[in-house]
């Protein structure tokens, strides 16, 4: 594995925190979280939510709420619309979203009114007393119901239908022909249920208009610059009058990408009441404001008798809830779902997707997903296992047979991606060896003899990240490049700023390492600052694992720009021509004269004390527009034991071999993988935002929506292979989302493999004890001989 060497790798790897305890930008408060920020004369805001999933609003009575001591105001859609801020654009640009319910509510817990008060308690008391007169309407609780257009959910839109969009890619007729000519075709309906990111800290904000009328907006945002530009679009305030500051987020996982109604209401309150307004989401608000996934997919996978893949066809129905709040790039309404051909060679492929409105939370919001890659990866990896089972092949051998080979990169897929690099077979081999596959197979055969249910599940996924190349990718028209700024101080210390925003990914450490490696300086002496639009260069933020592929590239190139300037100063110091210098062992050395050298530290000092004829100072700003995406990959293997009597699954082992290209910091990468695997485990076995037929949300808190603790979580084994990205400045790919993208299929494949002697072919997630038990019982009832 290649990894970046820094002068003090041990110190960095031990995670000695370079982070300040208290960020000087937040000195008004006591800490760095949003709820620690308390401004003078601050008011609090609480929201009123609809108990109905679909209802007309006949009237809103605020008199009783205004009787509460400390009550300041109640705002409804009427007031917002009077000021032209009744609706806000969703990042995808295909839809807009009500800030407060206007005329009718479209999902349970939708925001109906905002209450402002002197204290937090008073604000919540007010919210209890706002009386809303609802007239319930017929509910559309599935996209399949929505298709009929019997109930039109969004009369505000020009197109009078619940159908939002159709997206398709590939060769439809060629794929159909290849499927009919195939020896064998797998046909399976597979659902990726609705799940939620559930960061430890919910969202929140503090909005203040200062004495100069400038908006200071403290907010939990993964993309502060996008927020600033979107606020300019919504409120019409020019960007010099808006400062967006994103403090420590307490986790984001995609949940802190969208602009939520609460933010707009807090700003509106601050504007009207001329006092700062704080809003902190409750857990239930966080659970009910957005969701991810909810894809209903039909796959057809064709193969010849020997297991050679011939064609792939996918038809998906997507439930987007009441508003299409996806933050996908504008030309990609279904995100990167086209990665559904995975790590395999398909001569023909076609993917089709139709998205619908339903009476549910705004949908398609990110959750550790790289824009719909999680759904795509789960689908193809699940289907490959079904095919292996049908053909009686070993699932790892079926994969190996169909892998894109190492020498085929750059590889053009039939669904319009050009994969940059990869060595799938090597990664698979490393994983098989490390897990001891042959021994596991032997053990499994013995257990099956005894009627015990042991399963081995694979996922050999390809991920796509690093949006992206500006000719293809934009959010609200803003191209998705990223900026980096580096300033080196006279002592050789420095400050690094990027337009990304860490939520716990450790940019404070890895950004310093990238720059330190390029310049031969001490990473401990770099201050890394993100999240303040007044100081950070423009960037599209941190999601879709784009930070290392895009901002990481910007940082390396900005550092190289500094090195070129430093070379001139070094030439002055050594009294030679800059062409006589080489960069060797982290210093400038006169070619052919070993020992005649100056370090970057010496150059930094000279840049401010003795620059010669050169421009003084040592700093650079650079915007990086990547030529392509990066394509990390991995092989994950789960080993499970299923209890035949109770349906309980025990994940006995889980091995993740990830290839993220050049590794910057192995410990951070391992932490990212552990976290993402734990999320994937939760999705596979316990999490779902379910609704009943009446549209009631059944998972609005952590007793109904389970988050695993260390007690439930399996032990994670990890390893790495390294295929550098050929176009990334340091060869790095990403890792942040890979474990969530790759792992659900490995878990489910393992459980189905365990149940395969009973003839079980597929169970949709989450694989709860009840569901698995029912599948075992049904299978045993069907064929008592299986016992
Ligand atoms: N890294 C590395 N070497 C590589 C690749 C990455 O050392 N070859 C390091 C990076 O420098 C960075 C970290 O690993 O410090 C993750 O990098 P990357 O894969 O570029 O992902 P991002 O920084 O863009 O993070 C986004 C990703 C996403 S989209 C979600 S969702 C997610 C995730 O990261 N949310 C997280 N991981 C999270 N981790 C925490 N603790 N909290 C979240 O909210
Ligand atoms: Cu897709 S969740 Mo992350 O992109 O913030």
């Amino acid at each position: 594995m290649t990894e970046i060497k820094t002068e003090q790798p041990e110190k960095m790897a031990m995670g000695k925190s370079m982070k300040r305890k208290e960020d000087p930008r937040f000195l008004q408060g006591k800490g760095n979280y949003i709820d620690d920020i308390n401004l003078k004369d601050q008011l609090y805001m609480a929201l009123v939510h609809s108990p109905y999933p679909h209802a007309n609003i006949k009237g809103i009575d605020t008199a009783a709420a205004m009787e509460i001591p400390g009550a300041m105001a109640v705002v409804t859609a009427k007031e917002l619309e009077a000021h032209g801020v009744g609706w806000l654009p969703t990042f995808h640009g295909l839809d807009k979203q009500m800030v407060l319910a206007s005329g009718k509510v479209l999902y349970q817990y939708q925001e109906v009114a905002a209450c402002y008060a002197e204290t937090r308690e008073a604000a919540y008391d007010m919210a209890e007393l706002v009386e809303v007169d609802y007239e319930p309407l017929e509910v559309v609780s599935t996209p399949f119901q929505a298709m009929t257009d019997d109930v039109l959910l969004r009369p505000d839109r020009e197109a009078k239908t619940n159908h939002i969009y159709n997206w398709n890619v590939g060769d439809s007729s060629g794929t159909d022909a290849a499927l009919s000519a195939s020896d064998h075709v797998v046909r399976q309906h597979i659902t990726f249920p609705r799940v939620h990111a559930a960061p430890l800290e919910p969202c929140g904000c503090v909005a203040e208009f200062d004495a100069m009328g400038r908006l200071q907006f403290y907010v939990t945002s993964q993309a502060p610059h996008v927020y600033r530009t979107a606020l300019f679009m919504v409120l019409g305030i020019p960007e010099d009058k808006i400062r967006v500051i994103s403090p420590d987020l307490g986790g984001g996982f995609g949940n802190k990408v969208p602009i939520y109604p609460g933010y707009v209401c807090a700003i509106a309150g601050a504007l009207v009441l001329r006092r700062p307004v704080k809003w902190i989401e409750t857990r239930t608000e966080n659970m009910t404001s957005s969701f991810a996934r909810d894809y209903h997919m039909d796959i057809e996978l064709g193969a010849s008798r020997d297991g050679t893949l011939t064609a792939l066809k996918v038809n998906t129905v997507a439930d987007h809830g009441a508003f299409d709040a996806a933050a996908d790039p504008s030309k990609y309404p279904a995100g990167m779902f086209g990665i559904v051909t995975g790590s395999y060679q398909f001569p023909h492929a076609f993917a089709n997707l139709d998205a619908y409105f339903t009476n549910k939370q705004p949908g398609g919001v990110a959750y550790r997903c790289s824009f719909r890659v999680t759904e795509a990866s789960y689908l193809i990896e699940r289907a490959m296992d079904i095919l292996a089972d049908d053909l009686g092949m070993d699932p790892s051998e079926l994969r190996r047979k169909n892998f894109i080979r190492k020498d085929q990169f750059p590889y053009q897929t039939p669904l319009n991606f050009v994969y940059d690099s990869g060595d799938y077979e090597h990664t698979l081999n490393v994983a098989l060896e490390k897990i001891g596959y042959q021994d596991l197979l032997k053990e499994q055969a013995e257990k099956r003899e005894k009627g015990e249910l042991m399963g081995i599940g694979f996922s050999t996924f390809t991920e796509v990240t690093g949006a992206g190349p500006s000719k293809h990718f934009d959010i609200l028209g803003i191209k998705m490049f990223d900026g980096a700024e580096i300033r080196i101080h006279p002592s050789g210390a420095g400050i690094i700023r990027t337009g990304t925003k860490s939520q716990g990914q450790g940019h404070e450490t890895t950004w310093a390492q990238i720059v330190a490696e390029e310049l031969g300086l001490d990473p401990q002496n770099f201050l890394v600052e993100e999240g303040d639009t007044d100081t950070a260069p423009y960037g599209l933020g941190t999601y879709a694992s784009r930070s290392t592929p895009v901002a990481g590239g910007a940082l390396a190139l900005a550092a190289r720009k500094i090195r070129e300037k430093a070379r001139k100063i070094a030439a002055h110091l050594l009294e030679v021509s800059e062409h006589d210098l080489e960069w060797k062992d982290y210093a400038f050395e006169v070619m052919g004269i070993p020992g005649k050298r100056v370090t970057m530290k010496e150059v930094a000092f000279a840049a401010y004390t003795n620059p010669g004829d050169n421009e003084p100072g040592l700093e650079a700003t650079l915007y990086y527009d990547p030529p392509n995406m990066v394509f990390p990959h991995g092989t994950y293997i789960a080993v499970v034991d299923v209890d035949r009597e109770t349906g309980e699954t025990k994940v006995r082992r889980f091995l993740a071999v990830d290839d993220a290209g050049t590794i910057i910091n192995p410990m951070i990468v391992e932490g990212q993988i552990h976290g993402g695997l734990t999320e994937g485990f939760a999705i596979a076995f316990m999490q779902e935002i379910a609704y009943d037929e009446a549209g009631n949300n059944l998972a609005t808190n952590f007793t109904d929506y389970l988050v695993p603790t260390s007690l439930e979580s399996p032990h994670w084994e990890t390893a790495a292979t390294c295929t550098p990205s050929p176009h990334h400045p340091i060869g790095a790919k990403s890792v942040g989302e890979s474990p969530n993208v790759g792992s659900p299929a490995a878990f489910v494949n393992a459980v189905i493999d365990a149940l395969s002697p009973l003839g079980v072919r597929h169970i949709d997630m989450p694989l709860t004890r009840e569901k698995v038990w029912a599948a075992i019982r049904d299978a045993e009832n069907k064929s008592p001989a299986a016992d």
Side-chain angles (χ1 to χ4, degrees):
M1 148 172 114
T2 311
E3 81 188 53
I4 288 206
K5 283 187 226 64
T6 58
E7 288 182 340
Q8 294 163 301
E10 271 83 358
K11 261 198 193 161
M12 296 301 300
M14 288 313 290
K16 278 223 172 145
S17 177
M18 313 205 330
K19 218 167 148 180
R20 302 131 301 184
K21 277 228 175 64
E22 201 155 280
D23 189 317
R25 288 169 298 164
F26 303 119
L27 284 179
Q28 305 101 321
K30 292 196 202 73
N32 292 344
Y33 287 105
I34 195 78
D35 208 2
D36 298 327
I37 296 162
N38 290 299
L39 306 186
K40 195 165 169 290
D41 296 330
Q42 172 180 283
L43 298 172
Y44 293 85
M45 183 183 89
L47 295 169
V48 177
H49 298 274
S50 167
Y52 291 99
H54 196 197
N56 283 325
I57 298 176
K58 310 289 281 182
I60 301 180
D61 185 349
T62 62
M66 289 303 292
E67 297 283 306
I68 297 279
M72 296 295 294
V74 181
V75 162
T76 66
K78 212 161 62 191
E79 288 78 38
L80 293 181
E81 278 165 358
H83 290 90
V85 291
W87 294 71
L88 63 104
T90 62
F91 279 166
H92 189 264
L94 269 182
D95 199 12
K96 55 190 172 131
Q97 177 175 351
M98 291 170 185
V99 177
L100 293 171
S102 170
K104 68 174 185 166
V105 293
L106 284 158
Y107 60 97
Q108 200 177 43
Y109 293 101
Q110 187 176 351
E111 301 83 353
V112 178
C115 302
Y116 308 84
E118 295 279 359
T119 65
R120 198 176 289 202
E121 296 73 15
Y124 281 104
D125 287 347
M126 287 176 73
E128 296 265 305
L129 293 178
V130 171
E131 276 174 45
V132 185
D133 186 8
Y134 296 100
E135 177 190 50
L137 297 166
E138 194 179 328
V139 173
V140 176
S141 63
T142 73
F144 303 99
Q145 272 169 275
M147 276 175 202
T148 64
D149 282 329
D150 288 346
V151 179
L152 180 67
L153 296 180
R154 294 283 306 277
D156 61 278
R157 287 170 60 102
E158 206 172 301
K160 301 298 173 211
T161 167
N162 297 324
H163 184 248
I164 313 173
Y165 64 84
N166 170 269
W167 165 89
N168 62 67
V169 59
D171 165 19
S172 176
S173 57
T175 300
D176 283 339
L179 282 171
S180 354
S182 298
D183 295 339
H184 184 77
V185 180
V186 164
R187 291 195 175 80
Q188 183 67 44
H189 182 77
I190 294 178
T191 294
F192 203 126
R194 173 174 302 234
V195 289
H196 179 67
L200 227 49
E201 295 288 333
C203 302
C205 68
V206 182
E208 178 191 35
F209 286 86
D210 68 14
M212 307 296 289
R214 188 165 188 256
L215 171 61
Q216 309 277 341
F217 193 46
Y218 301 84
V219 62
T220 47
S221 171
Q222 296 179 219
H225 280 102
V226 182
Y227 273 42
R228 189 182 66 184
T229 303
L231 287 173
F232 150 70
M233 290 172 175
V234 178
L235 305 170
I237 308 175
E239 283 172 286
D240 65 304
K241 299 272 186 311
I242 306 172
R243 180 183 188 184
V244 175
I245 310 167
S246 192
D248 283 351
L249 294 186
F253 305 107
N255 177 245
K256 289 165 185 169
V257 174
I259 293 193
Y260 292 105
Y263 299 157
V264 180
C265 292
I267 294 171
L271 189 60
V272 173
L273 299 166
R274 296 175 184 279
R275 302 222 344 225
V277 171
K278 175 188 274 192
W279 172 62
I280 303 292
E281 231 182 17
T282 63
R283 178 59 59 189
T284 293
E285 284 176 329
N286 182 267
M287 299 288 297
T288 57
S289 59
S290 66
F291 67 88
R293 324 271 199 261
D294 214 336
Y295 264 26
H296 305 260
M297 306 173 283
D298 280 293
I299 188 164
E300 292 175 63
L301 193 60
S304 58
R305 219 162 276 114
D306 70 352
T308 306
L309 294 170
T310 53
L312 168 79
K313 187 173 173 181
V314 177
N315 195 30
T316 298
V317 171
D319 186 336
H320 277 241
F323 305 102
D324 185 4
D328 296 336
S330 70
K331 289 182 205 156
Y332 296 82
M336 307 292 115
F337 191 71
I339 196 85
V340 69
T341 52
S343 306
Y344 315 107
Q345 304 185 47
F346 282 99
H348 301 278
F350 179 67
N352 180 71
L353 185 145
D354 288 283
Y356 295 90
F357 291 120
T358 58
N359 287 122
K360 296 180 186 167
Q361 299 134 271
V365 170
Y367 168 21
R368 217 154 178 178
C369 59
S370 316
F371 305 131
R372 303 296 191 178
V373 181
T374 318
E375 292 90 325
S377 166
Y378 175 66
L379 181 67
I380 182 65
E381 290 303 317
R382 192 68 271 287
M384 286 297 280
D385 259 44
I386 298 173
L387 177 63
D389 196 45
D390 283 3
L391 298 176
M393 278 181 81
D394 179 296
S396 70
E397 288 312 310
L398 176 69
R399 287 172 163 86
R400 184 193 302 279
K401 191 179 186 79
N402 290 287
F403 275 153
I404 298 159
R405 292 189 320 272
K406 186 182 167 183
D407 59 12
Q408 287 175 297
F409 293 94
Y411 183 81
Q412 168 78 55
T413 76
L415 300 184
N416 288 349
F417 286 106
V418 180
Y419 292 2
D420 60 345
S421 65
D423 189 347
Y424 302 143
E425 183 157 21
H426 174 60
T427 304
L428 174 67
N429 289 341
V430 169
L432 292 177
E433 168 79 26
K434 207 172 152 62
I435 198 114
Y437 186 49
Q438 292 309 322
D439 291 343
L440 287 171
L441 284 176
K442 221 187 293 160
E443 183 192 344
Q444 186 183 43
E446 286 162 15
K447 291 219 158 122
R448 282 187 177 168
E449 286 286 307
K450 292 190 266 178
E452 290 174 31
L453 304 176
M454 168 184 165
I456 307 166
F458 286 89
S459 171
T460 54
F461 64 96
T462 292
E463 153 77 313
V464 48
T465 64
S470 65
K471 60 180 186 291
H472 298 303
F473 299 101
D474 70 271
I475 297 279
L476 289 176
I478 310 161
K479 300 296 189 185
M480 297 187 77
F481 39 65
D482 268 312
E485 181 195 295
I486 305 168
R487 293 189 195 169
I488 306 298
H489 310 319
S491 65
I495 181 162
I496 295 168
R497 290 175 170 137
T498 63
T500 47
K501 171 63 198 161
S502 182
Q503 309 128 46
Q505 292 91 342
H507 295 173
E508 296 86 347
T509 303
T510 47
W511 286 178
Q513 282 185 269
I514 291 176
V515 175
E517 172 69 15
E518 293 292 334
L519 297 181
L521 291 168
D522 184 348
Q524 298 278 15
N525 294 335
F526 283 112
L527 176 70
V528 175
E529 200 183 86
E530 297 181 318
D532 182 342
T533 55
D534 269 11
T535 54
Y538 207 102
L540 273 266
T542 290
Y543 45 86
S545 277
R546 58 186 301 285
S547 303
T548 304
V550 191
L555 273 169
L557 295 178
R560 286 174 202 173
K561 214 164 143 182
I562 287 183
R563 205 159 74 198
E564 284 322 298
K565 161 124 193 238
R567 177 187 293 275
K568 295 189 200 310
I569 297 172
H572 159 68
L573 294 177
L574 292 164
E575 296 177 324
V576 293
S577 151
E578 61 174 291
H579 306 293
D580 295 332
L581 291 177
E582 61 179 334
W583 177 249
K584 202 178 153 192
D585 298 334
Y586 304 106
F588 292 106
E589 188 166 287
V590 180
M591 276 186 271
I593 313 184
K596 193 159 184 212
R597 62 205 302 264
V598 286
T599 63
M600 190 60 79
K601 225 172 160 167
E602 290 164 326
V603 171
F605 195 68
Y608 297 90
T609 57
N610 176 21
D613 293 336
N614 302 293
E615 182 191 344
L618 203 55
E619 56 186 70
T621 303
L622 187 136
Y623 281 81
Y624 178 57
D625 186 5
N628 189 8
M629 314 276 275
V630 296
F631 297 80
H633 72 273
T635 293
Y636 291 177
I637 306 178
V639 183
V640 306
D641 298 301
V642 178
D643 186 319
R644 204 161 174 149
E645 306 301 323
T646 65
E648 175 147 14
T649 302
K650 195 167 166 12
V651 178
R652 193 204 310 171
R653 287 184 72 186
F654 193 99
L655 170 67
V657 184
D658 273 280
D659 193 323
T662 308
I663 300 287
I664 302 158
N665 186 309
M667 185 180 254
I668 283 186
V669 165
E670 196 184 340
Q672 288 292 303
I673 294 168
H674 282 203
L677 293 179
T678 307
E679 290 175 326
F681 168 72
I683 291 167
F685 291 107
M686 60 186 80
Q687 296 182 331
E688 181 178 10
I689 307 247
Y691 287 79
D692 66 14
E693 273 172 29
N696 293 304
N697 186 327
L698 304 177
T700 62
N701 56 63
F702 282 168
T703 46
D704 297 324
Y705 190 81
L706 304 180
V707 176
T709 68
S710 57
L711 282 182
E712 294 84 21
S713 303
H715 173 72
W716 307 119
E717 300 167 51
T718 57
T721 54
C722 178
T723 326
S725 169
H727 64 76
H728 187 274
I730 62 167
K733 299 182 180 180
S734 69
V735 78
E737 295 189 324
S738 297
N740 197 318
V741 165
S743 69
F747 291 114
V748 175
N749 286 342
V751 174
I752 303 300
D753 182 49
L755 304 187
S756 65
L758 305 174
V760 175
R761 190 181 168 83
H762 177 69
I763 309 173
D764 276 325
M765 297 187 289
L767 301 187
T768 58
R769 210 177 293 169
E770 293 80 354
K771 261 202 223 170
V772 173
W773 176 80
I776 295 171
R777 185 201 49 195
D778 291 352
E780 285 177 341
N781 286 347
K782 244 184 255 158
S783 63
D787 243 285

